[in-house]
Amino acid sequence: MNLLLAEDDAILADALCEQMRAMGFDVEHAPNGAVAQYLLAKQAFDMVVLDIGLPMVDGLEVLRQLRQHDASLPVLILTAMDSLEDRVAGLNAGADDYLTKPFDFPELEARVRALMRRSRALKASNELGQLSMQRETRSAQVHGETLELSPREFDLLDLLLTHQGRVITKEQINQVWSGDRGEGVAANNAVEVYIHRLRRKLEGAQVAIRTVRGLGYLLELERS
């Protein structure tokens, strides 16, 4: 497994590289955001541990650009700030989890392993409840019946299913839609409109799109 560690503190980076290698990762270290961007463009990674306060290009910008072409690579951000605004900023940029400095290595290891387990499980499964999806044909079914989905509806459902159980922000949705397949929706409430449409089409699928106030949406099994 390949891991990218983007951390500008040389002493902490050395300790983290040693820790990650002991976990079985092949580690590449980026001392600044520019090197992190270069490595992400040139190599395939299974995990990214990303400091927010990087020189040259800050960690949030590195993450935003990564999410424009890779929505599923697990990213754990390291931050010295833990306010609600900081957490929202990290989620908006596309983080899967965050860890506040200073931290203990056992907690870091537990969070990395949890993200890797989740990533493997999501890659292995394109199903949730009575919903199934085939990304190759851009189709989805409920109880075996094919759903009629517009391109943006499919992209939104794909994003939610890929990150099932995790909050997806409006920023992440708009990034996925940035390629625009011609539907031309530019209104501020576009995301809410598409969420409403998907909820209707997923009736009977035993799944629910839950609104997490102030953060975004997540797809989960319907609660009994």
Side-chain angles (χ1 to χ4, degrees), residues 143-155:
H143 289 288
E145 296 292 325
T146 299
L147 299 177
E148 292 186 8
L149 298 173
S150 71
R152 280 193 174 184
E153 288 171 342
F154 180 87
D155 288 341

Side-chain angles (χ1 to χ4, degrees), residues 74-155:
V75 177
L76 171 66
I77 59 173
L78 305 177
T79 175
M81 301 170 288
D82 192 29
S83 68
L84 174 61
E85 292 78 11
D86 295 320
R87 295 197 300 272
V88 170
L91 288 170
N92 280 337
D96 296 291
D97 198 0
Y98 70 93
L99 191 57
T100 305
K101 296 179 179 179
F103 53 84
D104 293 323
F105 285 151
E107 183 179 6
L108 172 68
E109 180 174 348
R111 288 176 181 267
V112 168
R113 292 194 186 281
L115 285 178
M116 290 305 302
R117 286 195 302 270
R118 184 186 302 166
S119 177
R120 285 193 292 266
L122 291 176
K123 288 178 181 178
S125 175
N126 294 326
E127 299 181 359
L128 185 66
Q130 295 299 317
L131 169 67
S132 61
M133 174 179 286
Q134 294 75 45
R135 292 180 176 86
E136 297 81 5
T137 58
R138 293 183 62 81
S139 62
Q141 296 79 33
V142 171
H143 289 288
E145 296 292 325
T146 299
L147 299 177
E148 292 186 8
L149 298 173
S150 71
R152 280 193 174 184
E153 288 171 342
F154 180 87
D155 288 341

